[in-house]
Amino acid sequence: MKSIFSLIFSAFSLGLIAQRNFDGVQIEPVQVSENVYVLFGSGGNIALVAGENQNYIIDDQFAPLSDKINFTIQQINPNPVAYVLNTHWHGDHTGGNANFAMNGATIIAHDRVYDRLKTGQQSARRNIPPAAIEALPTISFSDQLKLRYREDAEIHAFHVNDAHTDGDSFYYFVTENVIHLGDNFFNERYPYVDISSGGDIDGMISNLYMAASMIDDETVIIPGHGKVANKRQLIDYANLLDLFRELVVELREEGKSIEEIIEIRPLAEWDDTYGSGFIAPEAFLRAIFETAD
Ligand SMILES: [Zn+2]
């Protein structure tokens, strides 16, 4: 009976020490408006705003990718990256903070991004050590902030309801008609409601409808993960999340336990598509069960 426990344990400890290999990752830029580009690589989608004398990026993926990201940016606009703005604290969005900061960038994020990076996270599921001091935002905001990168062109940063985490922000490039929704939007996948970081499915759904109400049919929407989308696709996604929520809440109100709901598979129809990514059906059902009002 050495078997299963030691196997699980060694797989687990290997997982903790294994260095993920980013050698094969390429950073692919796609221009979505006059001065905004999306950089696809590994981790959260990056938005690059090319200012007159400096660059701004929203999120910065993983630390080993910083050189490649910076190289790609320099091909587009040779000015330095002066500001890094984070949509939330997760490592696939903030992993490059320290590298960019050491290259002269100012890190900006919501107050709770600062708090969570500073303390790290220790839970049964994850053990994330406190971030290096250089990775911490030196400017943080509680509600909203505006940055002007060209004459009459601004980035509007604003904190939204607890959703993916309790420190989520949207970044709206008003003049470019582009918005970055961070991980409130996992395009074509079940979303991640990080309960241990204060996530909440109800907040996510209302944030998505709120974003939809601010934009028009031409707006380019950058999700945290997945392809760029338009307003119609955002509303379809919000409607789907609302339906998923409803299906689980109904069963919960009938008195079903989470184990029974997992057994019933109320979202079976979508599990092969929406559940094929980072968030498996079971995790998503649990997130709704635990956080829906
Ligand atoms: Zn995330």
Side-chain angles (χ1 to χ4, degrees):
M1 271 304 285
K2 181 181 186 223
S3 58
I4 210 119
F5 281 104
S6 57
L7 271 178
I8 288 171
F9 182 74
S10 26
F12 187 61
S13 32
L14 272 177
L16 286 178
I17 54 167
Q19 288 296 310
R20 201 166 146 189
N21 190 335
F22 291 96
D23 291 352
V25 176
Q26 292 193 340
I27 307 299
E28 290 170 30
V30 175
Q31 186 170 14
V32 294
S33 73
E34 192 183 349
N35 299 300
V36 178
Y37 298 74
V38 184
L39 309 184
F40 298 96
S42 177
N45 293 333
I46 296 172
L48 161 68
V49 185
E52 211 120 44
N53 304 306
Q54 50 206 2
N55 288 308
Y56 299 67
I57 56 173
I58 315 299
D59 289 343
D60 52 24
Q61 300 187 351
F62 296 100
L65 295 172
S66 299
D67 284 342
K68 285 185 195 177
I69 292 166
N70 201 37
F71 180 81
T72 306
I73 292 169
Q74 297 307 303
Q75 306 299 300
I76 296 168
N77 182 324
N79 291 318
V81 174
Y83 296 97
V84 173
L85 304 121
N86 297 136
T87 58
H88 62 291
W89 78 280
H90 287 153
D92 57 327
H93 297 256
T94 60
N97 279 11
N99 291 336
F100 281 99
M102 287 188 287
N103 252 328
T106 298
I107 312 293
I108 302 177
H110 184 260
D111 295 336
R112 294 203 187 105
V113 174
Y114 173 85
D115 296 340
R116 291 194 181 278
L117 283 174
K118 192 168 187 223
T119 54
Q121 186 171 318
Q122 284 74 41
S123 71
R125 287 185 61 182
R126 287 191 299 186
N127 182 5
I128 297 169
I133 183 105
E134 295 83 3
L136 301 177
T138 49
I139 297 176
S140 67
F141 57 93
S142 60
D143 184 27
Q144 54 178 311
L145 186 73
K146 284 177 180 162
L147 294 98
R148 293 179 187 88
Y149 60 94
R150 285 176 190 268
E151 199 183 343
D152 297 328
E154 66 182 33
I155 302 171
H156 187 186
F158 55 99
H159 175 53
V160 292
N161 295 326
D162 297 355
H164 176 62
T165 71
D166 60 7
D168 299 345
S169 295
F170 289 173
Y171 291 92
Y172 189 16
F173 319 114
V174 185
T175 26
E176 313 276 341
N177 205 7
V178 178
I179 192 165
H180 194 318
L181 303 184
D183 283 359
N184 276 236
F185 191 12
F186 269 31
N187 198 3
E188 298 181 331
R189 293 287 182 271
Y190 289 147
Y192 177 27
V193 175
D194 181 357
I195 299 171
S196 59
S197 294
D200 188 300
I201 187 68
D202 296 327
M204 187 175 283
I205 294 167
S206 64
N207 289 345
L208 296 176
Y209 284 126
M210 185 269 293
S213 74
M214 295 172 59
I215 61 177
D216 62 35
D217 293 338
E218 312 305 320
T219 307
V220 175
I221 302 164
I222 305 173
H225 298 269
K227 290 178 288 189
V228 163
N230 61 28
K231 181 178 176 178
R232 181 71 256 158
Q233 291 162 323
L234 174 65
I235 293 172
D236 288 346
Y237 184 77
N239 288 343
L240 255 188
L241 292 196
D242 204 28
L243 170 68
F244 297 158
R245 178 195 174 283
E246 212 50 52
L247 292 170
V248 175
V249 167
E250 258 173 41
L251 293 168
R252 190 184 67 184
E253 278 168 4
E254 284 169 20
K256 300 270 192 299
S257 69
I258 180 60
E259 282 70 28
E260 287 168 317
I261 295 173
I262 290 167
E263 196 77 6
I264 293 167
R265 299 189 68 208
L267 312 184
E269 200 181 313
W270 298 276
D271 283 351
D272 289 342
T273 49
Y274 281 75
S276 64
F278 175 59
I279 297 301
E282 186 180 324
F284 183 46
L285 293 173
R286 278 186 196 280
I288 299 175
F289 188 88
E290 287 180 36
T291 69
D293 281 345

